[in-house]
Amino acid sequence: MSATSPPRPGPAPEGVPRARPVLPALVLTPAEQAPQWYGFDHEISPLPAQLIGFGDADLGEAAAPADAAAALATAFVPAAIPAAPARPVAARPHRQAVLTVLSLLLLAYAVLGRGAAYLGIPLGGGNSIFIGELALSFGLAALLVKGGYERFFALPIAMPWLFFVLWNAAQTLPYLSRYGMTALRDGAEWGYSLFAVVVSAALLARPDGFAILLENYRRFARWFVLAVPLIAAITIYSDRIAPAGFLAHFVDVRFGDGLVNLAGAMAFAACGLVVVRAPWWWILGIDLVVLGSHNRGGLIAFLAGAAIVLLCSIGGDLRGAVRHFARFGGALGLLLVLSFAVDLRIDAYSNERAISPQQLVLNLIGSFESTGVDALDETREWRLEWWNRILDYTLHGRYFWTGKGYGINLADDDGFQVIEEGQGPPLRSPHNSHLTFLARSGVPGLALWAVLQLSWLWSVLGAFRFARRTRRRTTAGLFTFFLAYWTAAMLEAATDVTFEAPYAAIWFWTMFGVGAAAVRMVRRDADWFERTPFVAAGATATRAVGRWLPRPAPLRAR
C-alpha cells in the first residue's frame, strides 16, 4: 500500500452490516442515465441544469460565481445525499432585445394587421423597407455579432430548411434583373423563414428567453380575445367611423389571420397555460361568430385547432379540456339559438356577408359544396378553377421543375386577375400559399416545403408523446398548443394569401422556430418547462390545469 492511498475499512463489528463506499453521482455515463425518447437517447450533460441550460457562450452571464460554485459542488455530492431542487431560471427581458422587439412586432401585426405591415422607411422609387424587414435585419445582425447560429443547424429541421431555402433562392435570383424588388417581395414567402432561424438560435443560446416569450404570449392570449370585437368593428366600419377611411390605414386585420390567432389563444387556455375566467370563453364564442361570418377558411382553421386540442387531451387531461370547451360551446350555442330566434343580422361589408348565425352555417357548408349563394359559390369556383390550372402547368406541364419563378404576377399570367387598375394593389398570388410554392418553384419546391413541415411535425409529435408518457403536464400542454396553432395556420394558408403576407407569415415562422427550439430544449433538459417562472405565473389553478397523476421523480436509468 502506498503512502498516499487511503486506508481500507476494517472489519465491521458483529451484527452490524459493513458500510458500502459512497460513490459520486456521476459514475453513470450520460447514455446510461438517459431515458428513451421516441427512438433516440435523451441528451443529458454530466453538468447540472444550472450550467447546461445556457450554453458555453453565455455561461459567464447566466450564472453568478456563487451559483456556478454551488452547481459544481452539487455535481460531485455523493449519491446518498439528495441534491437541492433546481432553481427556476430568472428571465431578464432587458438582455433579450431581439425577443422583445419580436414580441412588439407580433402584437402590432395581431392588433393592426395590414396597418402595421405598411409601417416602414421609404427608400425612393416607390420602394420601402417595412418594420418586418427591419426586425429581421436586427435579429440577423444580433445573431451574427453574438454568434449562436450554429445551434440552429443542430436541429432536425435544419437540413430540410436549408434545401428549401436554397431551391427557392434559385427560383428568385435569376429574375432580379427583370422584376427587381418585386422578385424580392414575392420571395419573402420563403425569406420570412429566417425568423425561425433567429428565434430558435436565440432561445437555444439563452433558454431563459422561453420564459419571456411564453409570458408575453400569456398576456396576449388573455387580452386579445377581449379586444377582437373592437378590432373587428374598426376594421368593418372604418369608413363610417372616420372620413376617407382614416382608421383603415391603421387597423385593417384580415379575419382569417385573426381566427388563427384566436385558435392559438384558445389552445393556450384549454391546455391550462393561462388562467382565464368563464366570461373569457363566452367572449371567445362571440369572436368566432363575428370573424367566422366573414371568413370560412379561418372558421375551418379555428375548428381544426380545437379538434387538435381535444385529440391531444385523450389519455391526459381530457376532462379539463372538455370542461373548457363546454363553457365555450355552451355560450356559442346559446348565442346561436338567440340569434336564430330574433333573426339577428348585422350588415357589414357590401359583399353580401352579414354577421349572423345563418352566415356562419353557410360558410361551413360553402367550404365543401355549393350553397346557392352567389357570393360564396362564385369565389369557391374561381379558386378551384385557378388551382386546377396551376396543377395542370406544373404537374403535367412545362413548369414541373422550376415553376414560373418569383417576380411574375401569377394572377395576370394565369388570367385570374380580379382587381382592376386603380382599384388598389393587384392580386399577385392564388388564395393558397401551398400552391404558390408549386406555381413559383415547381414540384421540387412544393416537395421541399412538405418535407420541412413534416420534419417539424414529427419532432414536435415525438416531444409531445414523451411529455405525455412521463406526465410532464406543462410540457405536454405547450406542445399541444404548438400543434393546434400549426394546424390552424396550415389550413388557413390553404384558402388565403397567408405566408406571402408579413402579418401572418412572421407569426407562423416564429411559432415554427419556438416549437423547434422547445423540442431541442426538452431533449437537453426534460424538466425545463416544468420549472420555469412561466409555469408559476401562467398555470397555478387546479381548475385551469385539470387533474393529472403526480409528476414522477427523475427518470430511472436504463
Side-chain angles (χ1 to χ4, degrees):
M1 180 183 299
S2 63
T4 58
S5 60
R8 295 183 180 180
E14 185 177 355
V16 178
R18 179 173 178 174
R20 300 181 61 183
V22 178
L23 299 179
L26 298 179
V27 293
L28 293 180
T29 65
E32 292 172 331
Q33 294 176 350
Q36 294 298 306
W37 181 38
Y38 64 89
F40 298 95
D41 286 340
H42 182 71
E43 300 178 5
I44 296 180
S45 170
L47 292 180
Q50 290 94 329
L51 296 181
I52 67 172
F54 295 93
D56 297 334
D58 297 314
L59 184 58
E61 297 178 5
D67 294 336
L72 288 172
T74 304
F76 296 97
V77 168
I81 303 177
R87 286 172 25 182
V89 181
R92 291 173 290 191
H94 62 281
R95 296 193 179 184
Q96 296 275 16
V98 172
L99 300 183
T100 301
V101 170
L102 182 61
S103 298
L104 294 175
L105 178 68
L106 295 178
L107 177 63
Y109 281 151
V111 175
L112 303 180
R114 280 176 279 207
Y118 288 120
L119 297 175
I121 302 174
L123 299 178
N127 297 316
S128 300
I129 180 169
F130 300 108
I131 59 172
E133 287 79 7
L134 290 172
L136 179 59
S137 301
F138 174 70
L140 291 175
L143 197 61
L144 292 175
V145 171
K146 294 185 176 181
Y149 56 86
E150 69 280 355
R151 291 180 173 86
F152 171 79
F153 289 96
L155 299 176
I157 64 168
M159 287 300 104
W161 173 84
L162 183 61
F163 287 117
F164 165 76
V165 167
L166 291 177
W167 181 264
N168 281 277
Q171 314 312 318
T172 305
L173 298 179
Y175 299 97
L176 286 176
S177 59
R178 181 176 181 181
Y179 298 107
M181 287 293 294
T182 304
L184 294 179
R185 290 295 176 200
D186 289 342
E189 183 179 18
W190 59 267
Y192 286 133
S193 65
L194 288 170
F195 275 97
V197 179
V198 171
V199 172
S200 57
L203 291 174
L204 293 175
R206 289 288 304 277
D208 55 344
F210 281 109
I212 297 173
L213 285 183
L214 294 176
E215 176 66 16
N216 289 342
Y217 192 84
R218 182 184 69 87
R219 296 191 184 100
F220 169 79
R222 176 175 291 168
W223 294 105
F224 179 71
V225 170
L226 308 181
V228 163
L230 178 60
I231 296 172
I234 295 176
T235 301
I236 294 173
Y237 301 110
S238 58
D239 292 336
R240 305 179 190 179
I241 296 174
F246 176 77
L247 288 177
H249 295 289
F250 296 96
V251 181
D252 187 11
V253 177
R254 291 195 317 186
F255 288 168
D257 303 330
L259 284 164
V260 172
N261 284 326
L262 280 179
M266 172 272 303
F268 211 68
C271 294
L273 300 175
V274 59
V275 178
V276 295
R277 302 296 181 183
W280 187 91
W281 293 98
W282 304 341
I283 297 175
L284 180 63
I286 298 175
D287 295 343
L288 180 62
V289 174
V290 173
L291 302 187
S293 296
H294 289 88
N295 192 288
R296 50 185 166 181
L299 176 62
I300 298 297
F302 180 92
L303 296 178
I308 292 297
V309 173
L310 287 175
L311 286 175
C312 291
S313 299
I314 296 176
D317 191 19
L318 179 61
R319 183 170 58 181
V322 170
R323 182 173 62 249
H324 291 312
F325 283 116
R327 298 173 182 172
F328 164 70
L332 179 61
L334 180 61
L335 178 63
L336 293 178
V337 169
L338 293 177
S339 300
F340 272 113
V342 301
D343 194 19
L344 177 65
R345 178 185 176 89
I346 302 176
D347 294 327
Y349 293 130
S350 58
N351 61 358
E352 300 181 5
R353 292 194 189 184
I355 300 175
S356 66
Q358 294 86 347
Q359 186 65 54
L360 199 68
V361 174
L362 284 175
N363 285 348
L364 284 174
I365 298 175
S367 300
F368 307 100
E369 61 182 27
S370 298
T371 61
V373 179
D374 293 341
L376 295 176
D377 295 342
E378 290 178 359
T379 57
R380 178 174 174 271
E381 294 172 0
W382 170 80
R383 294 180 185 185
L384 290 176
E385 185 178 351
W386 193 356
W387 297 348
N388 287 329
R389 179 166 179 78
I390 292 174
L391 294 175
D392 287 339
Y393 65 67
T394 52
L395 296 179
H396 311 290
R398 54 180 293 204
Y399 296 105
F400 181 91
W401 291 107
T402 60
K404 293 186 175 182
Y406 291 89
I408 190 172
N409 188 316
L410 293 178
D412 290 340
D413 195 65
D414 295 347
F416 288 89
Q417 185 61 256
V418 293
I419 300 178
E420 299 180 1
E421 187 175 356
Q423 291 184 347
L427 179 66
R428 300 192 56 82
S429 301
H431 283 225
N432 188 319
S433 295
H434 310 296
L435 290 184
T436 300
F437 283 118
L438 176 63
R440 295 194 181 278
S441 58
V443 174
L446 180 64
L448 290 171
W449 165 252
V451 169
L452 174 61
Q453 298 305 317
L454 291 176
S455 300
W456 183 91
L457 180 62
W458 178 259
S459 62
V460 171
L461 281 174
F464 166 76
R465 291 178 56 196
F466 167 76
R468 170 58 51 81
R469 187 171 64 249
T470 57
R471 295 297 183 180
R472 290 174 166 88
R473 64 185 185 192
T474 301
T475 306
L478 184 62
F479 285 111
T480 299
F481 159 70
F482 288 139
L483 291 170
Y485 188 94
W486 181 87
T487 301
M490 294 295 282
L491 287 178
E492 167 62 13
T495 60
D496 210 340
V497 183
T498 300
F499 299 141
E500 299 89 333
Y503 37 84
I506 295 176
W507 263 101
F508 173 80
W509 287 113
T510 299
M511 290 291 184
F512 189 91
V514 176
V519 172
R520 179 68 173 176
M521 199 64 227
V522 170
R523 295 189 66 179
R524 179 191 295 178
D525 184 350
D527 289 320
W528 177 268
F529 295 106
E530 304 299 317
R531 64 172 186 267
T532 54
F534 161 74
V535 178
T540 56
T542 305
R543 295 180 59 188
V545 175
R547 297 185 179 276
W548 283 66
L549 293 178
R551 190 186 310 161
L555 300 176
R556 296 177 299 174
R558 286 187 300 166

